[in-house]
Amino acid sequence: MWKLPSFLARTLTSGTSGLPLLPDMAEVRSRLREIVGASTNWRDHVQAMQERKALHTLLAKRQEDLPPRRMKDSYLEVILPLGSQPQIREKYLNVYNSVRFGRILEDLDSLGVLICYTHTKQEAQPRSPLSIVTALVDKINLRKKVVHPDCDIKFTGNVSWVGKTSMEVKMHMLQLHDGDYCPVLDATFVMVARDPENKRPAFVNPLIPESPEEEEIFKQGEMNKLKRIDFSTASLLKMAPTAEERNIVHDIFLNTLDTRTVSFRSRVLPPNSVWMEDAKLKGLQICHPQERNIFNRIFGGFLMRKAFELGWATACSCGGSRPFIVSVDDIMFQRPVEVGSLLLLSGQVCYTEKNYIQVRVHSEVYDADTREHHTTNIFHFTFISENEVPRVVPKTYGESMLYLDGKRHFAATMKEI
């Protein structure tokens, strides 16, 4: 099931003798700061961003002016030495003595950006004129329920598809067991390139597949793009539910009517069920400079970690036992989060089936001056609980749309895994 281009497969099976030479996540973040000229001192960020304006002259006028790249040109391996360097273990440890998935999301986000900078690097220029940011987490599928906190982890990845100004990155996480690296998760991110001031789109190097294997991977990237367009077009925020979905909603409504009173308003909760309005949690984060990215906005990995942790707590509260993450999909970064923002997070169980829990986390920023709320992200998480969970039941039409949207995401996840 775990398919990689042949040059990547050879690298992964070449043994572990070269492990000490692999960069770690600290080096990944250090490289990113060097590439864009970001300062580690918050007080210097304005000057650093001003200096980037001079890089506008290095931008390509057309994509055809940029040299094409191969998949292996952007391939990177990074080590997370949880086994060989116990001093970093606590940052990744959770109360169940396994690895915090939220921390893994942060690492994947940083690595995905570095892979794209590797794809677009100009040998003669130490600093890149591009501002590369995460646009979308297309999917992350887990292969193991538990990630051990005392075994080394290796991340690998490369650019797998390129548009005019966007790049798809495929990444894999493996963990060392008995001398071999075993796959733990597969992730697909979409990154976009913008100008040095992060205001307008910028062209990126085209990607040339070198084998039938790579052509298939590239073609899959194009299909992923079309699937995202189709999914967005059929969104319940734009289109009415299908006939089958309307019947599902009506059946739920009929099953919750109080038979003793012939009234549309009198509702009764069926056995082993929970009202959707009672299956949600909320949180708030003050976005401090410590959580900024290399462009002095809040780091996307931090947003994903906080959303995941709220989603996990929401699933735990609903299911009554420890949930395990199965899949993450369709995380759209709709607008950046500025340093100093008040970030409001709302976790909602949208759909349950047997011991699966589908959670949607909505994040928005609150502007204290204008008193306006602006959506920044929507996160979708699929969890599996140790026990069978109650059925979540919508009451209102809006909740019914959330229910159907959750059902769609769950069905897509089950088909994928």
Side-chain angles (χ1 to χ4, degrees):
M1 291 177 64
W2 193 44
K3 293 183 179 178
L4 284 173
S6 54
F7 74 86
L8 303 188
R10 284 196 298 272
T11 306
L12 290 176
T13 55
S14 61
T16 61
S17 58
L19 278 183
L21 301 177
L22 292 179
D24 59 17
M25 293 311 302
E27 188 172 342
V28 166
R29 294 184 174 100
S30 177
R31 284 188 192 178
L32 288 174
R33 284 193 294 270
E34 291 172 4
I35 287 168
V36 302
S39 172
T40 56
N41 191 335
W42 165 245
R43 289 175 296 179
D44 299 335
H45 77 280
V46 175
Q47 180 183 344
M49 289 298 106
Q50 286 294 328
E51 291 173 357
R52 281 188 60 78
K53 288 184 179 180
L55 299 174
H56 270 281
T57 56
L58 301 177
L59 292 175
K61 305 296 183 187
R62 305 177 307 157
Q63 189 180 38
E64 292 75 17
D65 296 335
L66 294 168
R69 301 280 195 247
R70 301 165 296 177
M71 288 190 185
K72 64 183 178 183
D73 292 334
S74 62
Y75 177 73
L76 292 179
E77 290 186 5
V78 174
I79 191 74
L80 180 58
L82 296 179
S84 52
Q85 296 181 22
Q87 64 271 22
I88 70 168
R89 196 177 296 163
E90 189 163 318
K91 176 183 175 182
Y92 287 84
L93 190 65
N94 67 23
V95 71
Y96 297 102
N97 198 36
S98 61
V99 170
R100 294 170 62 183
F101 183 69
R103 291 294 188 195
I104 299 301
L105 290 175
E106 290 182 324
D107 291 345
L108 287 171
D109 195 40
S110 294
L111 178 59
V113 174
L114 183 59
I115 287 170
C116 289
Y117 273 120
T118 305
H119 174 83
T120 59
K121 68 181 176 182
Q122 300 178 25
E123 296 297 340
Q125 296 295 335
R127 290 191 182 178
S128 173
L130 300 177
S131 300
I132 297 176
V133 295
T134 306
L136 173 76
V137 177
D138 191 37
K139 52 181 169 273
I140 302 175
N141 291 332
L142 277 290
R143 297 174 176 272
K144 292 182 179 293
K145 287 174 69 174
V146 175
V147 183
H148 301 286
D150 53 358
C151 299
D152 284 356
I153 286 172
K154 182 158 66 174
F155 296 96
T156 70
N158 64 283
V159 172
S160 55
W161 173 87
V162 167
K164 292 286 186 182
T165 62
S166 60
M167 294 163 279
E168 181 189 88
V169 179
K170 286 196 179 295
M171 292 174 283
H172 309 277
M173 177 175 137
L174 309 97
Q175 189 158 43
L176 187 63
H177 288 292
D178 299 325
D180 292 321
Y181 275 99
C182 305
V184 175
L185 67 77
D186 307 315
T188 304
F189 282 47
V190 177
M191 309 292 184
V192 293
R194 302 176 70 79
D195 67 13
E197 297 178 79
N198 199 8
K199 291 181 178 178
R200 295 180 180 84
F203 292 114
V204 298
N205 302 67
L207 182 66
I208 305 297
E210 290 190 301
S211 66
E213 215 175 350
E214 291 186 9
E215 286 176 4
E216 189 62 32
I217 292 171
F218 190 89
K219 190 185 299 181
Q220 184 61 51
E222 189 66 36
M223 289 173 59
N224 289 341
K225 177 186 174 183
L226 296 175
K227 265 195 258 181
R228 289 192 292 270
I229 293 172
D230 290 342
F231 204 85
S232 175
T233 303
S235 167
L236 292 166
L237 293 171
K238 300 175 183 177
M239 300 284 290
T242 65
E244 181 184 356
E245 290 173 332
R246 290 196 296 269
N247 287 334
I248 290 172
V249 170
H250 194 249
D251 286 342
I252 292 173
F253 172 73
L254 293 178
N255 289 335
T256 59
L257 283 179
D258 189 346
T259 56
R260 296 170 299 176
T261 63
V262 187
S263 169
F264 287 109
R265 292 185 178 181
S266 184
R267 309 285 290 276
V268 175
L269 187 65
N272 194 32
S273 300
V274 59
W275 292 119
M276 186 178 282
E277 64 184 5
D278 297 325
K280 59 185 175 184
L281 293 176
K282 294 190 176 184
L284 173 117
Q285 292 291 324
I286 301 173
C287 298
H288 296 290
Q290 181 187 9
E291 310 301 344
R292 71 190 188 280
N293 63 14
I294 51 178
F295 304 113
N296 290 293
R297 281 161 169 160
I298 296 302
F299 175 42
F302 169 78
L303 300 176
M304 286 193 283
R305 174 164 65 87
K306 289 301 179 182
F308 167 76
E309 288 172 353
L310 180 64
W312 183 91
T314 306
C316 184
S317 175
C318 175
S321 61
R322 179 187 178 186
F324 297 87
I325 185 68
V326 173
S327 181
V328 181
D329 80 301
D330 197 26
I331 298 177
M332 181 73 73
F333 288 81
Q334 298 183 15
R335 62 187 296 155
V337 177
E338 302 292 343
V339 172
S341 298
L342 293 180
L343 182 70
L344 307 175
L345 297 164
S346 178
Q348 173 72 70
V349 175
C350 295
Y351 180 77
T352 58
E353 185 174 310
K354 297 180 180 177
N355 56 341
Y356 285 99
I357 306 172
Q358 187 70 35
V359 177
R360 177 184 189 267
V361 177
H362 175 269
S363 75
E364 60 184 10
V365 289
Y366 173 67
D367 189 321
D369 295 328
T370 63
R371 302 201 173 189
E372 293 180 338
H373 294 252
H374 299 286
T375 297
T376 60
N377 303 81
I378 305 291
F379 304 85
H380 300 275
F381 303 107
T382 305
F383 294 93
I384 186 168
S385 184
E386 293 176 322
N387 305 315
E388 190 163 327
V389 299
R391 184 185 179 194
V392 66
V393 180
K395 236 183 209 182
T396 66
Y397 186 80
E399 288 179 347
S400 297
M401 296 303 100
L402 281 176
Y403 179 90
L404 293 178
D405 185 62
K407 191 174 188 300
R408 287 181 180 184
H409 280 282
F410 176 74
T413 294
M414 291 297 103
K415 184 178 180 181
E416 183 74 29
I417 65 175

